[in-house]
């Protein structure tokens, strides 16, 4: 079987998967996408005192401001998740969750940790895709009204979302000389480039979903670590952040790459 035949077979399998899961995929994507916010909001409730004390000690901001920070994170994240899952005021929910990401990036000094910063940006990419999806739903309400084509802001949201999502994979590259690491880096890099430029996008994104899911379950198995150990919380955080990026990729699979992509340009050639 030649390379073109193999690619054609893979695309057929991906198309078949999309036909079977078309009704459920967007819902699964949204659930995965908001999972890290849901987990963090619940953690704010159960670790209220620890989180407040940490912020108070780190920023010397006093008891009241530290309490406001934890309360804002709790309500902002859980409230945003409820709105996204219920499909109500999704755009406002996305802007609120963007604000939470920015707030946590500063409060927990993520700005100076490149790995965590890239993961937060990837999370922002997922929210951009969710925002683009909510815009397309809004447009569909006016199906009979003439328009100038696909909304330009939506196209660029999808482009920005795709580019930011691939930052997650940059943090998974291993710079050592073992054959497996070199192979993983080469395949992973090729796939993230395909997603970023929007070429064979659905197939590349679906392959990344499978790859990232396997890595997540294998390396971030927080359930195997006793809850009292710090590594449990660290792996749990990583697990749900990665699950959110999987949700973003599933949105790419469900919605396609958008207007600013090679897949879309190919239709014009």
């Amino acid at each position: 079987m030649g390379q073109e035949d193999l690619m054609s077979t893979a695309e057929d399998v991906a198309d078949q998967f999309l036909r079977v899961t078309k009704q459920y995929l967007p819902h699964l994507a949204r659930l995965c996408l908001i999972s890290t916010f849901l987990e963090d909001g619940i953690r704010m409730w159960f670790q209220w005192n620890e989180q407040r004390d940490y912020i108070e000690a780190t920023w010397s901001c006093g008891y009241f401001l530290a309490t406001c920070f934890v309360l804002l994170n709790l309500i902002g994240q859980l409230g945003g998740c409820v709105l996204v899952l219920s499909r109500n005021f999704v755009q406002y929910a996305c802007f609120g969750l963007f604000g939470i990401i920015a707030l946590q990036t500063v409060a927990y000094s993520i700005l100076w940790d490149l790995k965590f910063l890239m993961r937060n940006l990837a999370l922002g990419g997922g929210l951009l895709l969710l925002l683009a999806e909510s815009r397309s739903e809004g447009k569909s309400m006016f199906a009979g009204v003439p328009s100038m084509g696909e909304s330009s802001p939506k196209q660029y949201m999808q482009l920005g979302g795709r580019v930011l999502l691939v930052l997650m994979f940059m943090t998974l590259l291993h710079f050592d000389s073992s054959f497996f690491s070199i192979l993983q880096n080469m395949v992973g890099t090729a796939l993230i480039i395909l997603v970023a430029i929007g070429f064979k996008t659905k197939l590349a994104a679906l392959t990344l979903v499978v790859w990232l899911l396997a890595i997540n379950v294998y390396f971030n198995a927080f359930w195997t670590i006793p809850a009292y150990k710090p590594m449990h919380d660290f792996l749990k955080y990583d697990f749900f952040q990665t699950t959110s990026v999987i949700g973003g990729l599933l949105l790419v699979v469900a919605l396609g790459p958008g207007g600013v992509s090679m897949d879309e340009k190919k239709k014009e050639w």
Side-chain angles (χ1 to χ4, degrees), residues 23 29-30 62 74 86 116 133 141 153 166 174 186-187 205 218 242:
Q23 286 183 304
R30 288 190 289 267
L74 189 151
S86 64
F116 285 108
E133 185 208 21
M141 293 168 60
V166 303
H174 299 284
M186 288 174 63
V187 174
Y218 184 77
T242 307

Side-chain angles (χ1 to χ4, degrees), residues 148-161:
M148 295 178 64
E150 190 178 6
S151 164
S152 185
K154 180 195 166 188
Q155 292 183 37
Y156 290 108
M157 281 179 197
Q158 288 178 283
L159 172 64

Side-chain angles (χ1 to χ4, degrees), residues 14-255:
D15 287 339
Q16 180 64 30
F17 172 81
L18 287 174
R19 278 193 291 272
V20 172
T21 61
K22 186 178 180 181
Q23 286 183 304
Y24 314 104
L25 199 58
H27 301 292
L28 177 62
R30 288 190 289 267
L31 179 61
C32 288
L33 185 54
I34 57 94
S35 64
T36 192
F37 299 107
L38 190 61
E39 185 274 332
D40 198 51
I42 293 171
R43 185 160 53 90
M44 289 290 167
W45 175 265
F46 285 104
Q47 296 182 1
W48 180 280
N49 292 332
E50 293 94 324
Q51 295 294 329
R52 184 199 60 221
D53 293 345
Y54 172 82
I55 293 298
E56 186 179 1
T58 303
W59 292 96
S60 303
C61 58
Y63 181 91
F64 177 74
L65 286 178
T67 301
C68 288
F69 172 84
V70 178
L71 184 63
L72 179 62
N73 272 272
L74 189 151
I75 295 174
Q77 292 185 103
L78 295 184
C81 290
V82 169
L83 291 177
V84 167
L85 291 178
S86 64
R87 312 306 297 139
N88 291 311
F89 305 105
V90 175
Q91 295 190 29
Y92 295 108
C94 287
F95 288 129
L97 293 173
F98 275 126
I100 294 291
I101 291 176
L103 183 64
Q104 291 191 353
T105 298
V106 174
Y108 293 109
S109 303
I110 291 172
L111 202 58
W112 316 118
D113 188 316
L114 186 59
K115 178 181 175 181
F116 285 108
L117 178 61
M118 289 170 80
R119 291 191 172 198
N120 267 17
L121 287 172
L123 198 55
L127 288 176
L128 266 180
L129 291 168
L130 189 59
L131 200 54
E133 185 208 21
S134 71
R135 285 180 66 90
S136 67
E137 286 183 349
K139 298 284 181 187
S140 67
M141 293 168 60
F142 306 98
V145 180
S147 68
M148 295 178 64
E150 190 178 6
S151 164
S152 185
K154 180 195 166 188
Q155 292 183 37
Y156 290 108
M157 281 179 197
Q158 288 178 283
L159 172 64
R162 291 199 322 267
V163 172
L164 288 175
L165 272 182
V166 303
L167 292 178
M168 167 61 81
F169 298 92
M170 307 281 288
T171 69
L172 298 175
L173 298 177
H174 299 284
F175 298 101
D176 58 60
S177 57
S178 71
F179 173 76
F180 180 74
S181 292
I182 293 171
L183 181 64
Q184 180 177 295
N185 289 350
M186 288 174 63
V187 174
T189 301
L191 288 171
I192 63 178
I193 289 172
L194 289 176
V195 171
I197 65 176
F199 183 67
K200 305 285 186 186
T201 316
K202 291 187 177 183
L203 178 59
L206 195 57
T207 306
L208 282 176
V209 165
V210 174
W211 181 40
L212 196 53
L213 186 62
I215 287 175
N216 201 25
V217 171
Y218 184 77
F219 288 108
N220 296 326
F222 65 89
W223 53 88
T224 63
I225 308 292
Y228 63 85
K229 291 190 175 182
M231 184 56 74
H232 175 89
D233 281 345
F234 179 77
L235 291 179
K236 193 176 182 182
Y237 173 82
D238 262 12
F239 179 87
F240 282 102
Q241 267 219 327
T242 307
T243 301
S244 288
V245 174
I246 289 173
L249 284 168
L250 285 174
L251 275 182
V252 173
V253 174
L255 302 177

